[in-house]
Structure formats: C-alpha cells, structure tokens
Amino acid sequence: MKTQYNEQHMGAAYGPYGQMTQAPQAETMRIDDVIVRTVALVAATFVAAIFTYSMVADGIANNDSDAIGTAMMLGTIGMVVGLGIMIFSMFKPVTNPFVAFAYAIGQGLLLGGVSAVFEQQWPGIVVNALLATILVFGAMLALFKFRILKNSPMFTKVIVGAGIGIFALSMVNLIASALGVDLGLFAAPGESVSALQWIIAIGITLWAAFSFILDFDMIEYSAAHGAPKKYAWAGAFGLTAGLIFLYWNLLRLMSYFQGD
C-alpha cells in the first residue's frame, strides 16, 4: 500500500554575521528501521497466535469447551480490532506503534485459534502454510530486488483496484455469514470445493503475493527521499499485514487440496 507524506526540504539560513547555518534536520527513516519494526510486529503476532493456538489445542485434547470458547472469543475481539485498524489504514498511514501492535496482537489471537482447528483436521498444514508464506515472501522480495518485477502506474492501479474488490467481497461474505447466509464464495474446512471457490482462493492468494511489490516500492522510495522516521512503522505495518493475509490464504488454499 502506498504511503504519502509531505517532504520537508530544510534549506540553509544565514546568520547575523553572514555565517551559514543549517536548520535542524528531522530524523529520516531507513530500510533497517522498517526491518526491525517488521520483525517486532511479526514476533508479537506469533506470540499472540501461540497463546490461542495452545488454548484451542488443549481444549480439543481435553474436551474443554470453556478453553475453546475463550480462545474463540479472544479471536473474535482480535478480528474486530484488526478490521477496524485495517479500514483506518485505508485513509491514513499507520505510523503509531501502539496501533500497529494492536493490529498484530489482535490478528495473532484470531490466527492462532483458527490455525489450531485446521491443524486438528489436517496435521502439518500450519507448518506448511508458514513455510509457504516465508518462501513466497522471499521470492517476491528477490523478484523486486533484481528488478524482475517493478512497480508502475498501471501495476499500482491493478493491485489497488483488485484489493478494493477483494475487500468488498470479503465484507459482503462476512455480513452474509453473520446473517446466516452462505454465498458459496469460500469453502468451510472439510467441505467439497467448487470451481468458483478454487478460482477465488487462487486469485486472492496471487494478489496477496504481488501486493508486496507495492510495499517494497513504497519503502524503498520513502527511504531514498527522506521520509520522516515515523513512516518506518507504516512500512512495517504494511509488510506485517501482507504476511498475515498471505498466510490466511495459503492456509485456506492448502485446506482445499486436503479436502479434495
């Protein structure tokens, strides 16, 4: 996702005796700043996920419905918090670390509980989805680094337009599910998968992978043009949100293969 900011060009001023002085410079972001913050956010997501994953796994093993219910309640709260922050990020870059961590922890709580359910049905699927997420992210980073894939105005329009469509589709499906209506867009674990569901799952997963190009381009551009350091959080938030979204979709896609 592109982050806009106002560049402040700090010009030279002359002192009373003709001596040149430089106005104080705002601290600018570096790519290393984004990396450190991304690692911290991903770690927070992972810790939160382990918490609810353990609760659900133990609850299933011990037939403890209270533990499972508590984990799912935490996951629901995390989903609501994450959704609210994601909608907020569409209008304003997330540069506040507390907001970024709230998103990471909230998504982790949801991710852990759901992952435990998938793992119970298909042992090994969570590890495979995690490895696939890392491999896809690494592949997209390499493609961008070696300029095999580059951002362009047309590429941005396609990715942003598709992203709006995916978000709208997800919201319609979420509202319909809350009303007890199954639109048949996504298959539940264990259900047979229709051709439409395969197409949607593959399309969204591809979008999740290619959207990293926009994140990499934004981070590179912002660092090169002296964006304020606070925008390192925006870059880290974008990468973390992208990794979480990619994992969700790879997990779903892998469950489709298992279901068939």
Side-chain angles (χ1 to χ4, degrees):
M1 176 180 298
K2 286 286 185 181
T3 300
Q4 296 181 349
Y5 61 90
N6 295 323
E7 294 182 32
Q8 297 181 355
H9 300 284
M10 310 298 289
Y14 290 89
Y17 298 100
Q19 297 176 345
M20 183 179 294
T21 60
Q22 184 68 34
Q25 295 282 342
E27 194 172 3
T28 59
M29 65 170 277
R30 301 173 301 167
I31 292 179
D32 287 347
D33 296 326
V34 179
I35 294 173
V36 171
R37 286 159 176 73
T38 302
V39 170
L41 291 177
V42 171
T45 305
F46 191 71
V47 171
I50 289 177
F51 180 68
T52 49
Y53 182 97
S54 300
M55 290 181 68
V56 173
D58 292 343
I60 293 174
N62 300 318
N63 196 25
D64 186 352
S65 59
D66 290 339
I68 297 174
T70 301
M72 291 306 172
M73 180 189 68
L74 291 173
T76 301
I77 294 173
M79 179 183 69
V80 173
V81 171
L83 180 61
I85 294 174
M86 184 55 66
I87 294 174
F88 169 82
S89 72
M90 294 179 179
F91 302 96
K92 185 177 181 180
V94 176
T95 58
N96 187 312
F98 295 104
V99 175
F101 274 106
Y103 175 83
I105 294 171
Q107 287 295 287
L109 293 173
L110 175 63
L111 183 149
V114 176
S115 295
V117 174
F118 275 75
E119 183 69 17
Q120 177 67 22
Q121 188 158 356
W122 301 293
I125 192 172
V126 169
V127 173
N128 290 333
L130 285 171
L131 289 176
T133 300
I134 295 170
L135 290 174
V136 171
F137 178 80
M140 298 309 297
L141 180 59
L143 290 172
F144 178 80
K145 183 69 176 179
F146 294 106
R147 296 300 187 262
I148 298 173
L149 280 179
K150 295 186 291 185
N151 190 22
S152 68
M154 180 57 68
F155 185 87
T156 298
K157 289 180 181 179
V158 171
I159 295 297
V160 172
I164 293 173
I166 291 170
F167 180 78
L169 185 70
S170 300
M171 289 299 97
V172 169
N173 186 71
L174 181 64
I175 294 172
S177 298
L179 297 175
V181 179
D182 184 5
L183 299 178
L185 302 177
F186 304 100
E191 290 184 351
S192 60
V193 186
S194 68
L196 175 62
Q197 291 166 342
W198 272 109
I199 292 171
I200 292 175
I202 293 172
I204 294 179
T205 303
L206 288 174
W207 179 89
F210 283 103
S211 66
F212 282 118
I213 300 300
L214 296 189
D215 293 312
F216 297 150
D217 183 64
M218 179 276 290
I219 293 167
E220 184 178 77
Y221 181 89
S222 299
H225 289 77
K229 191 171 183 177
K230 68 178 182 178
Y231 283 97
W233 282 110
F237 174 83
L239 291 179
T240 303
L243 285 167
I244 292 171
F245 188 69
L246 178 61
Y247 169 79
W248 278 127
N249 285 281
L250 286 170
L251 187 66
R252 177 194 293 130
L253 197 57
M254 288 182 177
S255 74
Y256 284 6
F257 281 105
Q258 298 290 337
D260 286 354

